[in-house]
Amino acid sequence: MIIKKAIIDKANRLYQLPLDIVSFTREKTRPTRIKKIDVLDLARFNWPVTLTAGLTLSEKQLFPADKSRISLLKEAVAEWISNEHGAKVNPGKEVFIGGGISSIMMTLALAFVDNGDIVFVPELGLPLYRKVTMACGGEPVHYTVSHKNNWQPDFERLSTRLGRVARLLFLNSPHNPTGASLDAKAMENLIWMASRENVVVVNDAAYQAISTHKPASLLAIEGGRKVGIEVYSFAYTFGLPAIPFGFAVGNRDVINGLESAGSLLPAFIPDFYIDLALTAIRQYPGDNLKNARDIIERSEAEAVKLADMLSLEKAGFDSTPFLWAKIAGRKHARTQASILYRRSRILVAPGTAFGENGDGFIRLSLTTPPEDYQTARERIKRKLNLLKVSEDD
């Protein structure tokens, strides 16, 4: 009996998802006899905090945390929100504990986005918001984030007929890749518009704790919890290792939807995650977070030197662990990123990876050790000297 191989194609939505920010490196390269050198990754976000060396865990700590432990953590989060943002939240009904931010965003879309539903996403912005919307059958509609408005989002579309039928609006403040943040007045205006149009605002607040300057929080503005939620990472907010562990705070109906959708595929939260989080919350801002800030600050100093060498001009803000830089002459971002990768094996993120408004810009990750930026400058200098000798010859 001959068994024929089953052939099944992937769902069409998977072919439509936005590409990774460094997808241009997947292009086939010509074979070469030149000795290969290691790639310097200045593009990706790699959180510079690791687990304590010699950490020993009991068998119980590796098991999933029970409901009482999750409740204890929710209470600690509610207390932190009160201390940090002055917002009183109900830990049982207004706090959700889940996986990483990407996982929480996917759970949120699963809970509230049906086929054909309109969801507002930033353009310029992380591909994540488009991905989770499309994966759940929704229709992402862009609102503009552009250099023409100093990277402040334009919510004009929220007041159109699209706003009257939209379900969610994804906000990223502080914004990746530019670092721009909404001030209290702008946040207040957004809350008023969202309330009028019955649109839920979801603020990705991953980088709120990176800068010592405290950005405006949706939760701190009157009415904020009525129209939306903020999503955080335990790692980036409290200086924990890069573990898939986050939380959302705000509108209790949205939190209830997260709980319901989260029960379909529960996030695995080992008991020792709870211990790490409780300790970090009580010590906020702890040594790990302060050390991460220090690395980011030192990397920024070195990244600025590299940017000068490459004729890049700083164009963003210091609220996120990224350097957003303008290319001289507004040359195409992907072309410049490809040249750096091919000639010097230096990987940067082209601005177009975040949307068309990013053309002419480059993003550098400041979680990369400062020593890597020094090495990158040495490679560029050698390349320039080589080109100079060739021209003299």
Side-chain angles (χ1 to χ4, degrees), residues 17-18 101-102 104-106 108-109 113 118-136 138-143 145 168-177 202-207 231 354:
L17 294 179
I101 286 183
S102 296
I104 292 177
M105 293 299 186
M106 185 65 205
L108 183 80
V113 179
I118 289 176
V119 176
F120 286 117
V121 298
E123 203 283 87
L124 195 74
L126 277 177
L128 168 65
Y129 316 121
R130 283 173 283 163
K131 285 182 178 181
V132 299
T133 299
M134 295 169 68
C136 293
E139 182 69 28
V141 173
H142 298 151
Y143 63 86
V145 178
L168 304 173
L169 182 146
F170 283 112
L171 176 68
N172 184 204
S173 179
H175 179 251
N176 180 1
V202 180
N203 183 29
D204 179 353
Y207 307 115
V231 183
F354 306 94

Side-chain angles (χ1 to χ4, degrees), residues 11-185:
N12 188 51
R13 66 171 67 94
L14 296 181
Y15 294 103
Q16 299 174 351
L17 294 179
L19 298 175
D20 182 72
I21 63 171
V22 291
S23 59
F24 67 91
T25 61
R26 296 175 186 169
E27 297 175 352
K28 292 183 179 179
T29 57
R30 296 176 182 176
T32 177
R33 295 182 181 180
I34 300 175
K35 182 180 178 181
K36 291 185 178 180
I37 57 176
D38 293 336
V39 173
L40 280 174
D41 189 349
L42 310 183
R44 295 184 178 91
F45 178 86
N46 295 302
W47 186 236
V49 179
T50 57
L51 281 171
T52 304
L55 179 68
T56 56
L57 300 172
S58 67
E59 186 177 1
K60 180 183 177 182
Q61 288 178 297
L62 296 173
F63 288 160
D66 60 30
K67 289 184 178 180
S68 64
R69 295 277 283 164
I70 296 293
S71 296
L72 183 64
L73 181 55
K74 286 183 177 181
E75 291 172 4
V77 166
E79 184 177 355
W80 178 80
I81 291 291
S82 176
N83 295 335
E84 190 70 8
H85 299 304
K88 301 292 184 181
V89 298
N90 183 317
K93 296 182 178 181
E94 296 178 327
V95 179
F96 171 78
I97 306 295
I101 286 183
S102 296
S103 172
I104 292 177
M105 293 299 186
M106 185 65 205
T107 304
L108 183 80
L110 188 64
F112 295 103
V113 179
D114 282 322
N115 285 336
D117 282 346
I118 289 176
V119 176
F120 286 117
V121 298
E123 203 283 87
L124 195 74
L126 277 177
L128 168 65
Y129 316 121
R130 283 173 283 163
K131 285 182 178 181
V132 299
T133 299
M134 295 169 68
C136 293
E139 182 69 28
V141 173
H142 298 151
Y143 63 86
T144 302
V145 178
S146 165
H147 69 95
K148 296 178 181 179
N149 197 28
N150 201 26
W151 308 114
Q152 292 298 310
D154 182 355
F155 298 119
E156 183 180 349
R157 279 190 163 182
L158 194 55
S159 299
T160 67
R161 61 179 180 82
L162 291 173
R164 288 189 283 276
V165 296
R167 299 278 283 173
L168 304 173
L169 182 146
F170 283 112
L171 176 68
N172 184 204
S173 179
H175 179 251
N176 180 1
T178 69
S181 301
L182 265 65
D183 60 22
K185 182 63 176 177

Side-chain angles (χ1 to χ4, degrees), residues 343-359:
R343 293 182 179 176
S344 303
R345 308 302 285 174
I346 295 174
L347 185 62
V348 301
T352 46
F354 306 94
E356 293 182 3
N357 289 334
D359 203 12

Side-chain angles (χ1 to χ4, degrees), residues 320-366:
T320 56
F322 305 104
L323 178 66
W324 183 242
K326 180 180 178 181
I327 304 168
R330 292 299 302 275
K331 296 177 182 177
H332 291 300
R334 185 184 173 103
T335 300
Q336 296 304 302
S338 297
I339 290 173
L340 271 177
Y341 181 72
R342 291 198 314 269
R343 293 182 179 176
S344 303
R345 308 302 285 174
I346 295 174
L347 185 62
V348 301
T352 46
F354 306 94
E356 293 182 3
N357 289 334
D359 203 12
F361 295 86
I362 291 289
R363 193 198 75 174
L364 300 173
S365 174
L366 302 180

